[in-house]
């Protein structure tokens, strides 16, 4: 029997352990991303959702039911897997959670003398047939998709369906022929070889691109491959200098969050706050945009890739630190940490003992391109915030006509750094929300209050700047455009149009003479 539970308990591991030693949780796991996982080197374990790993976001879980014993758990997984969502099999262990693949359970059951093998293979054959029937059909597409799903989820049992499973599946579909059997076997071996290659330490960009094309063609129909496709795309991106420059412009500053994560790995008493929603959204947008650029480049869509690059200017490396940026870095611990972290990254990247980059020159070139662009982007961000928090007084000898021009530079710098005033406000509000989370990690208790006050000061100035800025009234512009388009066109035979007040004023101005000395009409 299965125990049905809708809400996820607060302490999920303890709650699951209390269900018994043979308790398994079947849970739907929504897609998620690690906030700072651009350079993660470990390939995803295909067939697993990763929800049981340390630090995983358990809010992605929707608990379906709790089963008891391997036979019931595997049977229910094979019945409920729909090929659209991730269905994880989770158990509680003393150190945390553990995720199992259906293949692990099937392999153990096959070696269990108490298992009724015919019943188990029939269940596997039914699932394999349903995955073929549910796949987008076309020339051989259904069996290729079903085999890819088998290799992802049941690889621990067999690389491809054994005859005891494959033959009944093909008979149900009325396609039991040698050609289809050969297709399934070749597909299974090909995908297994692909997954084996992903575990190699060093891969060239050409190999990564080839593997990405292979995985991408199947990921839409096999959700278990989606994370792998994204990981491959990120690995390609890390070796593309232009993509890394685009990343440097788009990703928000997460220095405070990353600093807390590093401290959490060395101090057991540190509790890392959750990354705030605004910057998490900005990071997700940045990652999606950079992935879209990389995918376009390697899919023959050069114009689409060029359009993305043209939409975002790559900042030049700052040769000197401006006064507002220096003031912001002096008062903001996070800004100072960002500069130090960037310098440390550059030192590590160019270190003589950096064997990783020595083995992959493209990775080194892309990393240095990112750091140079990121330095320029951080300068823009710090300069903009410095102008907001520490506005410079109007110079005494500045002509009165230039005072508004000087004041407008703050808004211009903010837009240059963030694109819009709204995104700048979101970034500031996100940082403030992050600083407000409790408990405050011990390593930044002395700076949090000052940091929060500084961020609020900049946010207040930004809101005042946005309120004072001249904004376009879209409805007024539309109304005026409709009015202009509705005016009848004067036929040529009707003679000249009746002069308007504007025409008379323009004629008088021309009669007076040139407004600028030395310029003839």
């Amino acid at each position: 029997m299965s125990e049905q539970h809708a809400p996820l308990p607060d302490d999920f591991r303890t709650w699951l352990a209390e269900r018994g030693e043979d308790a398994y949780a079947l849970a739907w796991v929504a897609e998620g991303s690690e906030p700072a996982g651009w350079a993660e080197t470990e390939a995803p374990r295909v067939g697993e959702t990763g929800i049981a790993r340390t630090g995983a976001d358990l809010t992605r879980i929707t608990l379906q039911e709790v089963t008891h014993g391997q036979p019931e758990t595997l049977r229910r997984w094979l019945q409920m897997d729909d090929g659209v969502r991730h269905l994880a099999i989770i158990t509680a262990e003393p150190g945390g959670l553990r995720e199992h693949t259906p293949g692990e359970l099937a392999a153990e059951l096959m070696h269990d003398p108490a298992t009724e093998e015919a019943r188990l293979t029939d269940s596997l054959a039914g699932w394999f047939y349903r995955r073929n029937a549910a796949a987008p059909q076309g020339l051989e597409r259904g069996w290729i998709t079903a085999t890819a799903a088998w290799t992802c989820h049941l690889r621990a049992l067999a690389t491809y369906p054994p005859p005891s499973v494959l033959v009944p599946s093909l008979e149900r579909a009325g396609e039991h022929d040698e050609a289809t059997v050969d297709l399934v076997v070749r597909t299974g071996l090909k995908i297994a070889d692909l997954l084996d290659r992903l575990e190699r330490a060093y891969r060239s960009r050409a190999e990564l691109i080839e593997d990405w094309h292979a995985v991408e063609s199947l990921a839409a129909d096999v959700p278990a491959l989606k994370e792998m496709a994204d990981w491959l795309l990120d690995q390609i991106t890390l070796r593309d200098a232009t993509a890394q420059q685009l990343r440097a412009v788009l990703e928000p500053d997460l220095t405070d969050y990353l600093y807390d994560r590093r401290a959490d790995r060395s101090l057991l008493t540190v509790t890392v706050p959750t990354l705030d929603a605004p910057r998490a959204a900005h990071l997700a947008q940045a990652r999606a945009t950079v992935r879209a650029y990389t995918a376009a480049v390697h899919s023959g869509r050069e114009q689409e890739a060029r359009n993305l690059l043209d939409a975002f200017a790559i900042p030049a490396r700052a040769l000197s630190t401006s006064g507002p940026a220096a003031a912001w870095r002096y008062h903001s611990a996070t800004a100072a940490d960002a500069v130090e972290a960037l310098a440390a990254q550059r030192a590590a990247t160019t270190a003589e003992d950096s064997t990783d980059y020595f083995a992959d020159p493209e990775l080194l070139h892309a990393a240095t391109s990112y750091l140079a662009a990121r330095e320029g982007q951080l300068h823009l961000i710090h300069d903009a915030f410095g102008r907001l928090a520490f506005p410079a007084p109007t110079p005494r000898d500045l002509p009165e006509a230039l005072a508004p021009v000087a004041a407008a530079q703050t808004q211009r710098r903010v837009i240059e750094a963030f694109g819009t005033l709204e995104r700048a406000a979101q970034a500031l509000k996100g940082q403030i929300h992050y600083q407000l989370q409790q408990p405050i990690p011990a390593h930044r208790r002395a700076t949090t209050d000052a940091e929060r006050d500084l961020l609020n000061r900049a946010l207040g100035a930004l809101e005042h700047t946005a309120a004072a800025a001249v904004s376009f009234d879209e409805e007024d512009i539309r109304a005026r455009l409709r009015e202009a388009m509705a005016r009848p066109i004067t036929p040529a035979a009707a003679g000249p149009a009746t002069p308007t007040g504007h025409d008379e004023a323009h004629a008088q101005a021309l009669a007076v003479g040139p407004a600028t000395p030395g310029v003839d009409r």
Side-chain angles (χ1 to χ4, degrees):
M1 295 295 293
S2 300
E3 299 180 15
Q4 302 289 337
H5 297 277
L8 188 68
D10 293 334
D11 189 347
F12 181 58
R13 192 207 67 79
T14 302
W15 178 87
L16 183 58
E18 292 173 350
R19 307 275 81 81
E21 293 182 358
D22 64 342
Y24 292 80
L26 292 174
W28 302 105
V29 182
E31 289 187 16
S33 61
E34 178 65 22
W38 283 97
E40 295 293 336
T41 56
E42 181 184 359
R45 292 188 284 272
V46 176
E48 296 184 15
T49 64
I51 199 63
R53 299 176 193 173
T54 303
D57 181 11
L58 295 183
T59 61
R60 295 163 51 200
I61 287 181
T62 301
L63 183 62
Q64 172 67 28
E65 63 187 47
V66 174
T67 57
H68 295 273
Q70 292 179 342
E72 180 192 10
T73 302
L74 180 59
R75 179 181 63 82
R76 291 294 291 154
W77 189 94
L78 293 172
Q79 289 177 348
M80 290 188 295
D81 176 56
D82 58 9
V84 178
R85 297 171 293 172
H86 291 282
L87 181 60
I89 303 173
I90 308 169
T91 58
E93 294 189 341
L97 298 173
R98 179 186 173 189
E99 184 174 0
H100 306 261
T101 65
E104 293 174 17
L105 302 186
E108 293 183 16
L109 288 172
M110 282 293 190
H111 292 88
D112 187 349
T115 299
E116 187 178 343
E117 186 174 340
R119 184 175 181 180
L120 175 58
T121 54
D122 182 69
S123 296
L124 293 171
W127 173 82
F128 187 66
Y129 166 74
R130 288 196 302 274
R131 291 306 301 263
N132 163 66
Q137 293 301 311
L139 183 61
E140 306 174 338
R141 184 67 181 178
W143 291 116
I144 292 176
T145 300
T147 305
W150 175 284
T151 308
C152 289
H153 295 295
L154 293 157
R155 187 183 178 198
L157 172 64
T159 298
Y160 52 86
S164 59
V165 172
L166 181 56
V167 172
S169 300
L170 297 179
E171 290 178 345
R172 294 185 189 189
E175 300 180 29
H176 186 200
D177 55 73
E178 187 175 345
T180 306
V181 172
D182 182 62
L183 172 67
V184 170
V185 172
R186 285 188 289 106
T187 301
L189 292 174
K190 179 181 178 181
I191 296 176
D193 180 60
L194 170 64
L195 299 181
D196 289 337
R197 291 202 308 272
L198 295 176
E199 297 177 0
R200 286 162 46 187
Y202 296 105
R203 307 289 308 286
S204 69
R205 185 163 64 145
E207 291 175 319
L208 292 168
I209 293 171
E210 180 183 356
D211 290 344
W212 173 73
H213 279 294
V215 173
E216 180 69 12
S217 65
L218 297 169
D221 304 325
V222 186
L225 287 172
K226 180 64 169 62
E227 185 181 1
M228 178 62 70
D230 289 342
W231 180 85
L232 283 167
L233 206 55
D234 286 346
Q235 296 303 305
I236 299 169
T237 295
L238 289 171
R239 290 156 178 80
D240 187 319
T242 307
Q244 286 301 296
Q245 290 176 327
L246 183 61
R247 170 197 165 196
V249 173
L250 292 174
E251 66 180 2
D253 185 8
L254 306 179
T255 302
D256 45 5
Y257 176 75
L258 296 176
Y259 189 87
D260 288 347
R261 284 189 65 199
R262 288 194 297 270
D264 180 51
R265 293 174 181 174
S266 58
L267 301 174
L268 298 178
T269 58
V270 173
T271 301
V272 180
T274 305
L275 180 62
D276 50 275
R279 288 188 297 170
H282 288 182
L283 182 62
Q285 293 165 1
R287 181 165 295 165
T289 303
V290 175
R291 282 176 177 169
Y293 164 79
T294 306
V297 167
H298 300 294
S299 300
R301 306 192 304 272
E302 290 82 3
Q303 187 57 50
E304 182 180 330
R306 172 51 55 187
N307 291 341
L308 282 171
L309 291 181
D310 291 343
F312 302 98
I314 307 299
R317 179 177 176 179
L319 299 179
S320 61
T321 303
S322 66
W328 182 259
R329 293 171 182 176
Y330 177 79
H331 291 87
S332 170
T334 299
D337 289 340
V339 176
E340 292 178 4
L342 197 64
Q345 278 185 276
R346 181 175 288 109
T349 299
T350 57
E352 294 182 358
D353 59 349
S354 180
T355 56
D356 292 344
Y357 293 108
F358 179 77
D360 195 337
E362 284 186 321
L363 189 61
L364 173 61
H365 176 56
T368 54
S369 299
Y370 165 80
L371 294 172
R374 191 59 181 169
E375 182 180 17
Q377 184 65 19
L378 279 180
H379 177 80
L380 293 178
I381 294 173
H382 295 167
D383 180 83
F385 285 167
R387 289 173 183 270
L388 290 169
F390 308 103
T394 303
R396 183 179 58 184
D397 298 328
L398 186 70
E400 184 177 351
L402 289 179
V405 177
Q409 293 303 306
T410 296
Q411 181 178 345
R412 176 191 171 192
R413 293 294 187 182
V414 173
I415 292 176
E416 187 179 6
F418 291 93
T420 64
L421 300 180
E422 291 77 9
R423 285 181 66 87
Q426 289 170 0
L428 280 170
K429 290 176 181 178
Q431 285 185 268
I432 293 170
H433 179 271
Y434 183 84
Q435 296 285 330
L436 287 172
Q437 293 182 74
Q438 299 293 332
I440 300 173
H443 63 273
R444 61 176 175 86
R445 287 174 185 166
T447 61
T448 295
D449 289 341
E451 185 83 9
R452 190 164 55 239
D453 292 343
L454 185 63
L455 292 168
N456 277 307
R457 180 177 178 180
L459 179 61
L462 178 60
E463 292 174 343
H464 175 76
T465 299
V470 177
S471 59
F472 290 106
D473 187 338
E474 295 182 5
E475 291 302 324
D476 179 63
I477 293 174
R478 290 194 185 97
R480 292 171 62 185
L481 180 61
R482 286 194 294 267
E483 180 183 354
M485 296 297 293
R487 292 174 185 168
I489 300 177
T490 304
T498 304
T500 64
H502 173 76
D503 295 329
E504 294 176 358
H506 181 61
Q508 293 175 4
L510 291 177
V512 172
T516 305
V519 178
D520 295 329
R521 291 191 300 273

